[in-house]
Amino acid sequence: MSEGSGKSDRHHEGLLIDRIRQGDGCAMRELIDLHKDRLYAFIRRMIHNHHDAEEICQDAFLRAFSSLDSFSAKYRFSTWLFTIGYRVCLNWLRRKRPMTGELDFTTLPLSVPDAPTVSLESEEVGKLKNLVWSAVDRLSTPQRATVLLFYRHGESCNGIAQVLGLPVATVKSHLHRARTQLRSMLEPVVAQQDLTEFRNLAG
Amino acid sequence: MRCEHAQQLFDQYLDGELSSALKSELGTHLLGCSKCRQALALMEVTGHIVSSDQEVDCLDEEFTDRLLACVEQSGSGRFRRLRRAIYIGGPLAAAAVVAFGFLGVFSRTDTKVAGHKHVVPTPMVVVDASALPPSPDKDMFDPADERLERWLVEGQEHTLAASAEGDERSEAFDMTILQLIDYCNEAMKPDTETEPSSGTEPARSVTPIETPPPTDDDVEDV
């Protein structure tokens, strides 16, 4: 879904969609395999549950294929698919808990979760990673989606705006506020640490 | 440049949208301000962790197969022709479902196909029982018996042949499995001439023993 998708990728995608519209099951399988991992990765980070994420991923594909006639070739299929997936996520989250808007991060203590750290890394790096993800999880839904799409899926603000169905200015505002909140949550925890080691992660 | 102004430029710097002049001015400020330097480093590291950390989970290999099966069951007219593509693309998967269905019968006493949710369709086509393989004998139900293996193969070939006939035989395909399961369950029932059958427990044969009634001295401590 990155901006680097070439014209050849878009052309091939268009051919697959045309074949699917004619009932080609092999083309459908290929299109699923092209997008399923990225879609699942996004949904998985949004709702934190493997089985529910798999179910939402499947639901998104089913909805996409059932309304394939309304898909316009001027968009990338991945953008359209992610749009559907995000909306299914929102429905799932609303069913699970009411939408309360932005979280008041100042009252939520940030502690190191018990998630297993990645092997072959220092313990401190692993702890910082867990802290970062814990802070990301505390963002509001649209902010979390913006951060994931921007950083993890390499999407531009314009692309994020399409997926989330928001104006570009709103997306930029979400990104700015998310960064501010992440910084506010993490600064007290890592204030005494030297980030030199961690900056090596940035290459 | 003051810290407040410098921190307002962080977003543009992280997005690569800062002009050369402002980037130079920000760099000069960061050299002399550890607080802003730490804050920017934290945001850079956070962004890098989010962008590059490995996934916690991934989809299993059968996700696409299950999804295609759901598309088929959706009954959309466009995707009806997908059935042939799916069966052509996954004949081993279809045969495995049939095989596990038969094996499930021999390891369980209920009619549920092992490991699979079995949706019972409304029967539209009644399969001619004489076209099915003959019901196996009771003594064939020895897993080591070669006749059992041959019967399984015959059953698979019959059901796969039914599915290859096309859409109009799809209901017969499902009904064939159900009828074969019923045949197996019937064959596994105990013989009523030698063993009286009951609802839940096998009846015990009681042989009358002529013994005197117990006295108080014969009562055993329990």
Side-chain angles (χ1 to χ4, degrees):
Chain A
M1 201 172 84
S2 65
E3 289 290 340
S5 296
K7 288 185 178 179
S8 61
D9 292 338
R10 294 285 297 274
H11 178 68
H12 179 65
E13 190 175 85
L15 292 177
L16 287 177
I17 293 173
D18 287 340
R19 286 164 55 191
I20 292 172
R21 284 172 172 154
Q22 297 169 13
D24 188 335
C26 295
M28 180 177 286
R29 178 182 291 273
E30 185 176 345
L31 193 64
I32 292 170
D33 289 339
L34 276 174
H35 297 288
K36 65 178 183 178
D37 291 330
R38 292 177 64 88
L39 178 65
Y40 169 80
F42 170 63
I43 296 172
R44 176 65 178 81
R45 289 289 184 183
M46 288 294 295
I47 66 171
H48 315 308
N49 181 278
H50 167 67
H51 295 293
D52 289 334
E54 188 176 281
E55 191 174 319
I56 291 174
C57 193
Q58 178 174 287
D59 193 9
F61 270 109
L62 289 174
R63 290 168 186 254
F65 289 136
S66 67
S67 57
L68 204 58
D69 288 337
S70 63
F71 171 72
S72 172
K74 67 179 179 181
Y75 299 108
R76 287 175 300 181
F77 180 79
S78 59
T79 302
W80 191 55
L81 182 64
F82 269 63
T83 302
I84 297 172
Y86 177 68
R87 289 174 186 170
V88 177
C89 275
L90 287 183
N91 293 336
W92 185 91
L93 288 169
R94 288 191 186 106
R95 282 199 305 270
K96 291 294 181 181
R97 57 180 171 84
M99 298 292 287
T100 56
E102 295 184 10
L103 294 174
D104 181 6
F105 55 89
T106 58
T107 62
L108 295 176
L110 195 63
S111 60
V112 179
D114 294 331
T117 57
V118 182
S119 61
L120 304 182
E121 286 184 340
S122 71
E123 185 177 351
E124 292 303 316
V125 171
K127 283 183 179 178
L128 179 60
K129 287 187 175 182
N130 291 335
L131 281 170
V132 168
W133 283 115
S134 179
V136 170
D137 290 344
R138 292 169 188 269
L139 296 174
S140 67
T141 301
Q143 287 178 2
R144 186 162 72 252
T146 300
V147 166
L148 290 172
L149 290 170
F150 184 83
Y151 283 105
R152 204 155 181 82
H153 297 272
E155 193 59 42
S156 67
C157 289
N158 286 331
I160 297 173
Q162 292 179 11
V163 172
L164 303 187
L166 298 171
V168 175
T170 305
V171 170
K172 290 185 176 179
S173 174
H174 280 322
L175 189 58
H176 169 73
R177 293 185 63 84
R179 283 168 170 164
T180 302
Q181 291 190 13
L182 288 172
R183 177 184 155 191
S184 299
M185 283 189 276
L186 293 169
E187 263 184 345
V189 184
V190 300
Q192 303 304 319
Q193 298 185 20
D194 181 10
L195 289 178
T196 303
E197 178 186 3
F198 305 125
R199 291 202 67 172
N200 292 334
L201 295 176
Chain B
M1 179 182 285
R2 300 176 64 175
C3 292
E4 184 180 353
H5 185 202
Q7 293 177 15
Q8 289 176 351
L9 298 177
F10 281 176
D11 273 306
Q12 289 176 279
Y13 172 80
L14 292 171
D15 294 341
E17 299 173 350
L18 208 59
S19 65
S20 299
L22 281 175
K23 190 185 294 184
S24 176
E25 198 172 337
L26 176 62
T28 302
H29 174 80
L30 291 175
L31 284 174
C33 180
S34 61
K35 178 182 174 185
C36 287
R37 195 164 58 242
Q38 180 84 345
L40 184 59
L42 178 59
M43 295 173 74
E44 285 182 312
V45 169
T46 300
H48 182 78
I49 288 174
V50 172
S51 65
S52 62
D53 199 11
Q54 67 182 40
E55 297 297 345
V56 293
D57 283 318
C58 59
L59 292 169
D60 58 52
E61 296 177 355
E62 289 78 30
F63 173 83
T64 302
D65 290 332
R66 290 197 301 271
L67 176 56
L68 290 172
C70 287
V71 171
E72 179 200 7
Q73 288 181 1
S74 68
S76 170
R78 164 190 302 147
F79 300 123
R80 192 166 297 158
R81 282 177 288 172
L82 283 175
R83 286 180 182 169
R84 194 159 295 169
I86 291 171
Y87 283 123
I88 291 175
L92 292 178
V97 170
V98 174
F100 280 124
F102 291 137
L103 291 175
V105 169
F106 299 130
S107 63
R108 299 166 65 121
T109 56
D110 56 20
T111 58
K112 187 183 298 182
V113 178
H116 298 271
K117 291 183 181 179
H118 188 74
V119 178
V120 180
T122 303
M124 301 295 292
V125 176
V126 177
V127 178
D128 182 8
S130 63
L132 296 169
S135 178
D137 298 330
K138 267 195 312 180
D139 58 2
M140 280 176 60
F141 285 78
D142 179 358
D145 198 318
E146 292 182 356
R147 291 177 295 173
L148 174 63
E149 184 176 352
R150 284 202 299 273
W151 185 85
L152 285 174
V153 171
E154 288 176 5
Q156 291 177 31
E157 289 174 351
H158 172 81
T159 51
L160 286 175
S163 69
E165 289 294 328
D167 298 347
E168 59 275 11
R169 294 296 301 273
S170 61
E171 289 84 4
F173 178 79
D174 292 322
M175 279 304 299
T176 302
I177 295 178
L178 290 175
Q179 291 184 346
L180 286 169
I181 291 173
D182 288 341
Y183 280 125
C184 294
N185 282 337
E186 285 297 322
M188 288 180 72
K189 283 183 180 178
D191 189 347
T192 54
E193 291 182 357
T194 57
E195 298 179 37
S197 61
S198 62
T200 55
E201 297 178 351
R204 298 180 180 180
S205 60
V206 178
T207 304
I209 301 174
E210 296 182 356
T211 56
T215 64
D216 289 340
D217 295 334
D218 294 332
V219 174
E220 296 178 0
D221 293 331
V222 177

